Each structure stands twice: as C-alpha cells, then as structure tokens.
Amino acid sequence: MEKKQFKAESKRLLDIVINSIYTNREIFLRELISNASDAIDKIYYKTLSDSSLIFNKGDYFIKLIPNMEERTLTIRDTGIGMTEAELEENLGVIAKSGSLQFKNENELKDGYDIIGQFGVGFYSAFLVADHVKVITKAFGGDKAFVWESDGVDGYTISEGEKDSFGTDIVLHLKENTEDENFDEYLNEYKLRSLIKKYSDFIRYPIKLDAKKSRLKEGSEDEYEEYIEEEIINSMVPLWRKNKKELTDEDYNNFYFEKRFGFDKPLKHIHISVDGMISYNSIMFIPENTPYDYYTKEYKKGLELYSNGVLIMEKCEELLPDYFGFVKGIVDSQDLSLNISRELLQHDRQLKRIAKNIKNKIKNELESMIKNDREAYEKFYKSFGRQLKYGVYDDFGANKDDLKDLIMFYSSKEKKMVTLNEYIERMPEDQKYIYYASGESNDRIEKMPQTEMVLDKGYEILYFTEDIDEFAIKMLQSYKEKEFKSVSAGDLGIENKEEETKANEENKDLFTGIKEALSGKVKEVKASSRLKKYPVCLSAEGELSIEMEKILNSMPNNEGVKSEKVLEINTGHEVFNSLKNAYSSDKDKFNLYVNLLYNQALLMEGLSIEDPTEFANDICKLMK
Ligand code: ADP
Ligand code: MG
C-alpha cells in the first residue's frame, strides 16, 4: 500500500494544530463529536430537499465506544460518511479552505499564532492518539474506506468493511506518561463529564454503554452487572427554548447545574437576538458575592458557545469588569467553533454581542431599582462596591453607564438611595449634593460637620467605603449638581458675614492658635457651621481628610497630608475660656489649644500624634 504524503503546507499545519492551537487536550472529543453531528445534519438537509428520503430521527445518533483491551476509543456516527475522494480531500488536505493562507496573513499583520476555524478540528485527534483510523461509508455508496495515520508522516487509504453508512473514528490512545494519563479517555465517568461539559447541546443523542448492577433474578442479595446504553447529552439547550415555557425553577436549576453559584440568583436575563448578528443568552445576577470576588483569583466571563458547542468556559471579552459578577452563557451561530482566544479579542461580532449584553445588564439593574427594590438592595450589598469601582476605573470612562446604579445611605431616608432620588427631593435653594465620609453610619451621624447641613433640612449621603469619595470625585456632579463634602471648607450655606466679623474680631487670637500648633494646620478660622461642638477640622483643596486616611492606610503610602483648617465655634463656652487664657496665661493657652486640636483629630477618626501628652494634658486640666 502506497503511503501518501500530506501536502507540505498540511504537514506544517498539522504540527501547529497538534502542538499549539489546543492547549487543552480534552477538546478532541468536542471536535470529533461536532464533526459527527455535522455529518448527521448533512443527511438531514438532504432529506429536506429530496422527498424520496425520510429522516427517521431514531436512526441517527453518535456513540462512544471505549475498549480497554485495545486502548481505543471509537466515535461512531450514523451520518453521511465519506467517499474515497472525500476522504482524500477532507482528511488529506488540512485546512483546504484557505486557512493556512489566512493564518499566514494574520500572523504577519497581528502576530496571531493560531488558526481560526477552517477545517483543523479533526486533527485534534492526535492530541490524544498515536494512531487514528477512520472507517467510513458514504450515504448511498456501496463501498467502505479506511483512512489511517500516525500523525505527521502521512496517511493511507484502503478499502474496508462497514455494514451501514456513517463513520467510525478509532483513536488508539497514546502511551501514558508521568504527567499525562491517556487511559482516562476510556473511563465512562470521564467521557460523561466531557460530553456534559462540551457537547451537552448537540442535537443528536450521544450514547454510551453504561455499566450498571441489579439484583440477580430469583436472588435476594446477589447482584449482577449489566450494560445499558444511555443517552448522555440533554440535546436541547435551555437558551433555545421558549421563555414563556420556562419557569424560575428551570432557570435556577440551570444556574445550579452550571455551578454558577450556590445561591439562588436574584434575576435572570434571557435574550434571543436575531439580526446583523444572532445570538441567545441566559445571564444571571447572583445574590451573594463569591468568596474570591474581590481578589485577583476571581475570573469574570460568560460561557461562550458556537451553535450549542462550548468554545470557552470564561469569555472575558463579553463582560466589562464592572459587571464581572454576571454569570451565564452566550450562544451564537455566527461564531466559529475553534476560534482562538487571541482572535476572539479582535472579533467584531463578539464586540457587538458584548456591547449589547452590557446594555441589557444595565437595563435590567435599572428596572430592578424601580420594580424590585428589595432584590436590588440585596444585590447592591454584594456588588455595590464593584459598581463604584467601575465609576472610578479607567479615569471614569464608564461613569455614565453606572451613575444611575450606585446608592448611598441617606440621612433622611435612613436607607440606601440613588443619586436620582436624592436630586428629586432636593429643596430648590440647595446648591450641592452633600456627603459625609466616615467609618460607619453611627460615626458619621455624630460628626460636628453635619450639624449645619442637617439644620438646613438638607439630606446627607453617608460614605462609609474606601472607594466612595474617590468614585464621586470622578463623577464630579450628577444632573448638574456638584458633590460637596460636609467637611469641605465652603459648604455654600455658611453665614459669611458672621464669619468674617468673627475672624476680624479674633484675628490675633487665631494667629496665636496657628502658631501654637506650629504648622499642623493651614488656617484657623471662625465657623458658623458648628452648634454643639467647639471645634472641627475641615480640608482645603482636592484631598479630603477621609482620603488622606485611606491613602495612608495603603502599603507604600507616601504620607500625603490634606490641608487642614481648624474651625472654631466662637459661640461656644469653651471659646471664652480660650480667649481668657490667651490674654492672661500662655501655658494654659497652649494647653487648651492642644486639647482642642487633638479633640478635633479624634472626632475625625484620625490618630493623635502623641497620646501620652494628650493624656497628661487632660490630667493637668483636672488638677
Ligand atoms: P471542519 O469541521 O471545520 O470542516 P475538520 O478538520 O473537523 O474541519 O473536518 C474536516 C472535514 O472532514 C469536515 O469538513 C468533513 O467534511 C469531514 N469529516 C470529518 N469528520 C467527519 C465525519 N464524522 N463524517 C463525515 N465527514 C467528516
Ligand atoms: Mg470540525
């Protein structure tokens, strides 16, 4: 028998296929099953156009036959088969559809190292097999042919025996190595799990002989093993079914089967798009944060299918980071099966799908705010931080998509509110959206700086997470209203006249205080915003006191300092004592100034420089 050489190009290509396209060996099964399914499809289409033929569904199936003794795995189909010429063309010339050329072009242009879609799937058989035998008989033909190859050095074609049309692909598995156990592809459970993982939604039944045991007839405790043929795949994917026929439970089961999470999803989004690009998708909004969600370990992405066959378990490109919590699948017949990760990143179809999906998620979340507030609040507890990061990330590039989705705790409502809700009930004379930063709602409630804003009847948003103020700085304003920290120098509601007057009256005293604090504050001034409290700190400039705390709590911090202003309540009793001390007793004055300054630091949640001195100062006061 003459051994034919693969065409030169093919040889190279085969090498590439075997060694570099597929990092994951197990996909060989997906490829061969997909080919088998295509072969059955071809008969099906034939019967559609030829009324003398009938497609009897029961006759068409794919079967996996592992053989331990021979160490072979056979993939059998009852599809259209191949003639001798087709064998030669389809399996002898790799990527005859011009893919090598395609690959070369792309490699030159973009440095892709991988081929897209064109006719290489079959050769993935050599990822696990050292010898492949294809026994095939074409539909309507009378002779069977056998194609055999050990891989790179060529193939033979000869006449063979086969009863009915269709194809058997017989893989002789490679020898096991230290790292790799090829025997596992003979294992019933492994095969089952691979079918479930990659080929669950192939339209035709994929059968496997399952070993089972049963009570022997007539016996009460003796068992016998027997073989039963089982269909492993579920055939019709959930996302191809009609939404109207599906219940919440169907979706929840799917979420669970797919191991998207152990929680019950808060919402599912089921879309079928037909148009320039067609796809189906089912997505879920989970309730709980995965334990690794806010770590580097977490990988976002949706499962990507091409016509029901899994291409990729986590296609990152389909989700923006800020919606990284969404779980689900996308299936499109417009994507090719063995498209590589690198190629996908540039795929225009995929980009279009991703954009579409992003909008769907956004709309769904917005409608939850209106129509299912309870669910949204649960969701926000788990993933609100992610949304706020999203506002901040990429220099605010996505803030417009997210600004309606973020919420903060409100002094007025005592619950989470959206920015839109805040704006809608704002009194007409209110200039800013006020917020206060602090460790917790309780702490913020006690902040001296909130007094005046609250007295005015204005609502304050409480910022208790690190990211909050950074995100809002990125947002700058919402519906043309700027954000204003209650600790900022100028709240826009102070009694300016009163303040100016007090500042002038106490000019010397304030200079004295500033000197006594030797550079710790940038300014000392009278404040009309204080009622109960004698002093507070505010910040001038871009960096707030809260941001200073956050930045300095990071490793490698550069010890940034906000520009602090010591604000003094000139209407407070303590102020009189201070004034008296200033004119009569310098030591006492210094003592009072330090005490008040440290008090202000403590109320801000900042640490005082010298706690021992502070304690001693208090003792002095009590003597
Ligand atoms: P692709 O599936 O992308 O065309 P493959 O390398 O997987 O590329 O297969 C090459 C060709 O071999 C197929 O297009 C098909 O014509 C033929 N072929 C492969 N497997 C079978 C099969 N089980 N039955 C009939 N034809 C097959
Ligand atoms: Mg194929």
Side-chain angles (χ1 to χ4, degrees):
M1 204 178 344
E2 182 207 358
K3 197 166 213 174
K4 300 189 182 175
Q5 292 294 306
F6 286 119
K7 302 252 165 77
E9 291 188 324
S10 310
K11 231 174 175 172
R12 266 188 57 205
L13 191 60
L14 190 51
D15 209 44
I16 293 163
V17 173
I18 296 170
N19 297 308
S20 62
I21 290 193
Y22 301 113
T23 40
N24 201 357
R25 289 183 190 280
E26 65 189 28
I27 59 84
F28 79 94
L29 196 63
R30 167 192 90 176
E31 295 293 341
L32 298 180
I33 288 176
S34 300
N35 285 350
S37 168
D38 286 348
I40 299 175
D41 266 348
K42 286 173 192 163
I43 295 195
Y44 176 66
Y45 290 123
K46 248 195 164 113
T47 57
L48 288 183
S49 56
D50 183 344
S51 56
S52 67
L53 300 170
I54 313 161
F55 187 82
N56 185 359
K57 228 177 170 240
D59 295 343
Y60 297 95
F61 61 87
I62 298 160
K63 183 164 181 177
L64 303 191
I65 309 155
N67 181 328
M68 307 293 166
E69 287 81 50
E70 310 272 334
R71 289 189 80 250
T72 59
L73 173 65
T74 300
I75 294 101
R76 167 169 299 165
D77 68 64
T78 55
I80 198 150
M82 283 175 272
T83 63
E84 186 177 12
E86 282 167 344
L87 261 183
E88 179 99 31
E89 260 175 50
N90 296 336
L91 305 187
V93 185
I94 305 167
K96 65 166 179 162
S97 40
S99 70
L100 185 55
Q101 191 191 340
F102 172 88
K103 183 232 160 212
N104 284 338
E105 278 170 11
N106 281 299
E107 195 175 48
L108 283 179
K109 268 188 280 183
D110 294 288
Y112 302 145
D113 51 11
I114 282 165
I115 302 118
Q117 68 221 63
F118 312 83
V120 291
F122 170 79
Y123 302 96
S124 65
F126 291 106
L127 289 168
V128 298
D130 51 22
H131 185 83
V132 177
K133 191 163 158 183
V134 179
I135 309 154
T136 184
K137 189 174 187 179
F139 184 66
D142 46 10
K143 275 188 194 162
F145 293 91
V146 182
W147 180 100
E148 281 184 86
S149 172
D150 294 336
V152 204
D153 50 85
Y155 62 95
T156 60
I157 295 178
S158 56
E159 247 179 68
E161 289 293 321
K162 195 173 185 313
D163 291 342
S164 50
F165 57 85
T167 304
D168 281 3
I169 314 266
V170 187
L171 309 177
H172 183 265
L173 297 175
K174 289 183 183 173
E175 290 303 322
N176 296 326
T177 65
E178 245 170 57
D179 307 327
E180 214 106 32
N181 176 16
F182 293 96
D183 281 345
E184 66 177 350
Y185 300 117
L186 300 171
N187 178 304
E188 182 191 324
Y189 295 97
K190 178 71 183 179
L191 293 173
R192 262 173 200 276
S193 81
L194 290 178
I195 293 170
K196 274 294 189 195
K197 179 170 175 188
Y198 292 107
S199 312
D200 200 28
F201 309 116
I202 290 288
R203 280 188 289 281
Y204 305 104
I206 304 172
K207 298 178 178 178
L208 187 61
D209 285 338
K211 255 200 217 98
K212 301 199 162 171
S213 84
R214 66 184 160 207
L215 219 49
K216 247 187 183 164
E217 230 182 73
S219 157
E220 293 202 344
D221 51 6
E222 247 188 291
Y223 286 84
E224 61 177 4
E225 286 203 327
Y226 69 105
I227 301 286
E228 195 177 271
E229 193 176 65
E230 271 188 56
I231 295 173
I232 311 297
N233 56 331
S234 39
M235 295 191 262
V236 182
L238 195 69
W239 56 88
R240 294 256 183 82
K241 289 185 181 162
N242 188 338
K243 268 188 258 194
K244 292 197 190 96
E245 286 158 22
L246 295 169
T247 62
D248 281 348
E249 205 185 331
D250 291 325
Y251 289 106
N252 290 350
N253 285 341
F254 181 69
Y255 182 85
F256 191 74
E257 272 171 27
K258 283 270 162 205
R259 296 175 193 279
F260 287 148
F262 295 106
D263 52 348
K264 227 164 83 194
L266 289 170
K267 274 272 162 336
H268 63 257
I269 309 170
H270 187 165
I271 39 182
S272 307
V273 176
D274 266 312
M276 279 238 280
I277 179 152
S278 306
Y279 70 93
N280 296 290
S281 172
I282 294 180
M283 290 179 284
F284 295 95
I285 296 173
E287 172 170 357
N288 298 335
T289 338
Y291 70 94
D292 60 348
Y293 187 70
Y294 289 106
T295 71
K296 278 211 191 81
E297 265 50 31
Y298 183 82
K299 295 265 174 290
K300 61 161 183 168
L302 298 177
E303 283 187 8
L304 182 62
Y305 290 79
S306 151
N307 234 332
V309 181
L310 182 70
I311 305 183
M312 209 177 273
E313 273 175 287
K314 288 222 161 133
C315 182
E316 292 174 51
E317 287 74 17
L318 285 169
L319 289 177
D321 283 347
Y322 52 87
F323 289 153
F325 47 80
V326 173
K327 304 278 182 187
I329 67 94
V330 169
D331 185 9
S332 171
Q333 64 246 46
D334 298 331
L335 295 169
S336 55
L337 182 55
N338 30 32
I339 187 166
S340 77
R341 217 166 248 282
E342 286 77 0
L343 217 50
L344 264 184
Q345 286 177 353
H346 303 270
D347 194 277
R348 226 185 277 149
Q349 317 270 46
L350 197 77
K351 283 205 173 117
R352 215 172 273 152
I353 298 178
K355 190 166 164 213
N356 212 321
I357 276 177
K358 180 197 82 180
N359 289 330
K360 296 273 181 201
I361 299 170
K362 184 178 155 229
N363 293 344
E364 185 64 38
L365 292 174
E366 279 174 2
S367 104
M368 270 168 89
I369 293 182
K370 283 195 215 93
N371 308 319
D372 196 351
R373 186 61 168 229
E374 206 184 316
Y376 192 77
E377 282 178 20
K378 274 189 200 161
F379 155 77
Y380 198 77
K381 243 198 192 113
S382 299
F383 301 106
R385 193 138 82 93
Q386 170 72 79
L387 298 183
K388 291 182 282 189
Y389 273 113
V391 171
Y392 176 74
D393 269 355
D394 291 331
F395 304 100
N398 305 303
K399 61 185 182 186
D400 283 339
D401 278 335
L402 297 169
K403 63 180 194 294
D404 291 319
L405 297 177
I406 55 177
M407 300 203 294
F408 298 99
Y409 186 84
S410 147
S411 63
K412 194 165 253 168
E413 298 291 303
K414 306 288 177 209
K415 66 178 183 83
M416 302 299 278
V417 302
T418 63
L419 296 174
N420 193 42
E421 287 159 354
Y422 183 104
I423 290 273
E424 286 201 330
R425 57 172 165 257
M426 218 163 129
E428 241 176 71
D429 65 342
Q430 187 179 336
K431 273 212 285 210
Y432 300 111
I433 301 173
Y434 292 103
Y435 66 86
S437 303
E439 245 156 68
S440 64
N441 292 346
D442 286 348
R443 280 236 23 195
I444 293 175
E445 228 135 54
K446 296 193 185 107
M447 276 170 67
Q449 292 92 330
T450 60
E451 279 190 307
M452 189 179 185
V453 183
L454 293 177
D455 272 8
K456 270 287 227 182
Y458 295 164
E459 183 172 3
I460 299 178
L461 299 175
Y462 291 1
F463 287 6
T464 50
E465 285 193 297
D466 289 5
I467 184 67
D468 293 351
E469 206 169 354
F470 291 88
I472 235 64
K473 286 254 140 81
M474 200 53 91
L475 210 52
Q476 284 177 343
S477 63
Y478 181 84
K479 299 210 170 150
E480 285 159 31
K481 294 280 180 192
E482 273 176 48
F483 292 93
K484 191 68 136 181
S485 162
V486 297
S487 308
D490 180 9
L491 294 181
I493 48 174
E494 291 89 347
N495 187 334
K496 289 286 167 208
E497 268 172 49
E498 203 179 280
E499 283 184 3
T500 318
K501 202 166 137 237
N503 278 332
E504 267 162 26
E505 277 171 13
N506 300 296
K507 209 171 163 202
D508 292 346
L509 172 63
F510 288 172
T511 317
I513 295 174
K514 196 179 162 189
E515 274 162 15
L517 287 173
S518 51
K520 286 182 196 133
V521 297
K522 198 179 166 247
E523 206 191 332
V524 178
K525 67 177 192 192
S527 167
S528 63
R529 72 168 115 190
L530 292 169
K531 297 261 144 48
K532 290 202 289 275
Y533 300 88
V535 288
C536 75
L537 287 173
S538 64
E540 255 180 22
E542 273 307 291
L543 193 69
S544 73
I545 293 174
E546 206 52 36
M547 287 164 98
E548 170 190 319
K549 271 192 268 177
I550 293 161
L551 293 174
N552 289 338
S553 70
M554 295 179 183
N556 305 329
N557 75 78
E558 287 167 22
V560 293
K561 286 255 180 288
S562 53
E563 297 183 327
K564 298 187 189 67
V565 175
L566 184 66
E567 299 198 9
I568 299 201
N569 179 355
T570 53
H572 201 277
E573 285 181 309
V574 161
F575 181 68
N576 286 331
S577 317
L578 190 65
K579 227 156 100 177
N580 291 338
Y582 180 63
S583 50
S584 59
D585 183 343
K586 272 274 138 54
D587 283 347
K588 207 179 204 178
F589 174 68
N590 279 333
L591 175 69
Y592 284 180
V593 168
N594 276 322
L595 275 169
L596 286 173
Y597 173 68
N598 283 331
Q599 217 181 80
L601 285 178
L602 285 176
M603 278 191 294
E604 275 306 315
L606 292 165
S607 51
I608 46 184
E609 268 168 41
D610 191 343
T612 325
E613 193 193 6
F614 182 61
N616 287 338
D617 283 353
I618 290 182
C619 289
K620 263 190 228 161
L621 199 69
M622 294 170 77
K623 270 190 221 149

